[in-house]
Amino acid sequence: MQKTFTEFSTNAILKIGDETLLEPYKTATQPNLYTFIRTNNSRAEIVVDSIPYTIEPNSILALTVVQYFQFISGKDLVVYQFNSEFYCIKDHDQEVSCAGLLFFGNVHIPIMELNSDESRKFKVLHEVFLDEFETKDTIQAEMLRMLMARFIIISTRLLKSKEGFVETAKNTKIDLLREFNMLVESHFKMEHSVSFYADKLFKSPKTLSNTFAKLNTSPLQIIHERIILEAKRLLIYTDKTAKEIAYEVGFEDASHLSRLFKKHTQLSPSDFKKQLQKAY
């Protein structure tokens, strides 16, 4: 079952369906669509950025447009996919507060297990989605966007609760982490210093470090992990050399990336590539 909404004036796309929507991803590829996958009574097997994941029954996960995704198996799934023209995560962040947390956060792939009440809410919302797909009128696009906003808000709240964030009227630690993550996503290929991001946020590097320590991370760790993730993607899914990859992620000297990569993975980029070739 697949349903697709398109808006020709904006090139907006929203797809809703079951596991057949994921068939094009039997080979790892970047979907270029934000993707939610919800399991019902059985588990699903996927690979994201070469790492295998099992999605347990009654769970939901979110994927960004830049992750390499491969669908291995799963049935009775509920899948939502949309592009930025349909719903721009950054433009609507004030409404849904998901950028830098649910999407482009420092959690590699957010997977949220649902209790019976949470599962019921998502099933009811899905039925409303399906009803709206059948309603062809001038406000259909706006209604579908409103429903997606609600879906994202519920998912973000769940992620915050599962990750142990304490929700308050103004949780400055979470907001700062989200803003930092989004800045890193935009600038990590050129800017590797904590001071650059601190200046953008009108904070001192020490303030960022002290704040993130309470969230069990550090500014430099987030920057380095994003660089390493990008390097891994390029090593796994492209034919670029280690030198070309180093340049792409902002290193004039390939040895600088090699040292950082080895610190995080215990392998140099070239050894990582050789290990991949042996595996396949």
Side-chain angles (χ1 to χ4, degrees):
M1 181 275 292
Q2 295 185 29
K3 292 183 180 292
T4 302
F5 168 83
T6 55
E7 189 176 51
F8 294 107
S9 60
T10 62
N11 293 319
I13 297 172
L14 169 66
K15 298 179 180 181
I16 295 181
D18 55 18
E19 56 274 9
T20 57
L21 260 184
L22 303 179
E23 288 299 319
Y25 308 107
K26 284 294 189 179
T27 301
T29 187
Q30 289 175 304
N32 295 317
L33 295 168
Y34 292 98
T35 301
F36 284 101
I37 302 172
R38 178 167 63 83
T39 56
N40 283 299
N41 295 321
S42 57
R43 60 170 55 96
E45 305 286 340
I46 64 171
V47 177
V48 181
D49 291 330
S50 81
I51 300 174
Y53 291 90
T54 298
I55 313 169
E56 295 298 331
N58 299 305
S59 299
I60 189 167
L61 84 154
L63 295 169
T64 70
V65 295
V66 297
Q67 290 166 306
Y68 281 84
F69 167 66
Q70 183 179 9
F71 175 59
I72 305 300
S73 65
K75 60 181 182 179
D76 194 26
L77 305 179
V78 179
V79 180
Y80 300 84
Q81 292 187 301
F82 60 93
N83 60 6
S84 294
E85 287 77 10
F86 175 78
Y87 197 89
C88 182
I89 298 301
K90 292 181 182 178
D91 288 351
H92 290 275
D93 188 54
Q94 194 169 3
E95 301 168 16
V96 296
S97 301
C98 69
L101 192 65
L102 189 64
F103 295 109
F104 305 113
N106 67 334
V107 177
H108 177 58
I109 173 171
I111 302 178
M112 296 144 281
E113 294 183 8
L114 310 176
N115 61 33
S116 57
D117 187 52
E118 291 161 351
S119 292
R120 180 188 59 79
K121 287 179 182 177
F122 277 109
K123 287 175 182 177
V124 169
L125 185 57
H126 185 64
E127 291 302 316
V128 180
F129 258 118
L130 295 179
D131 285 345
E132 195 55 45
F133 260 90
E134 303 305 319
T135 307
K136 310 291 185 183
D137 59 22
T138 56
I139 62 168
Q140 184 188 33
E142 191 57 34
M143 286 295 292
L144 287 171
R145 287 188 176 93
M146 287 171 59
L147 290 171
M148 182 51 65
R150 182 168 177 77
F151 186 100
I152 293 171
I153 289 169
I154 295 171
S155 300
T156 303
R157 284 175 176 167
L158 275 174
L159 180 60
K160 287 179 179 178
S161 67
K162 308 296 182 186
E163 290 296 309
F165 294 137
V166 178
E167 194 69 72
T168 63
K170 181 65 176 177
N171 196 321
T172 53
K173 289 196 290 290
I174 296 175
D175 288 341
L176 189 61
L177 178 64
R178 293 196 315 108
E179 290 181 60
F180 185 84
N181 282 333
M182 288 306 295
L183 282 172
V184 170
E185 187 63 32
S186 298
H187 299 287
F188 76 91
K189 289 185 179 180
M190 295 298 294
E191 301 292 346
H192 300 166
S193 70
V194 174
S195 60
F196 170 84
Y197 299 99
D199 287 345
K200 288 280 187 183
L201 294 166
F202 304 104
K203 304 288 184 183
S204 70
K206 186 176 181 180
T207 297
L208 289 183
S209 295
N210 290 342
T211 302
F212 290 0
K214 297 170 185 174
L215 299 171
N216 300 313
T217 187
S218 76
L220 194 60
Q221 180 183 340
I222 293 171
I223 297 166
H224 285 174
E225 285 178 351
R226 185 62 186 91
I227 293 168
I228 296 304
L229 175 59
E230 192 67 16
K232 283 182 176 180
R233 284 176 180 163
L234 294 170
L235 285 165
I236 295 166
Y237 298 110
T238 76
D239 294 323
K240 292 181 179 181
T241 66
K243 187 174 181 180
E244 289 171 327
I245 291 169
Y247 184 76
E248 186 161 334
V249 296
F251 291 95
E252 293 286 337
D253 188 336
S255 65
H256 293 163
L257 174 62
S258 184
R259 283 197 294 271
L260 180 64
F261 196 91
K262 195 166 186 176
K263 180 181 177 182
H264 282 259
T265 68
Q266 284 73 57
L267 293 169
S268 68
S270 55
D271 287 341
F272 181 82
K273 187 82 169 179
K274 288 175 187 174
Q275 192 177 75
L276 285 172
Q277 290 166 345
K278 288 179 182 177
Y280 294 100

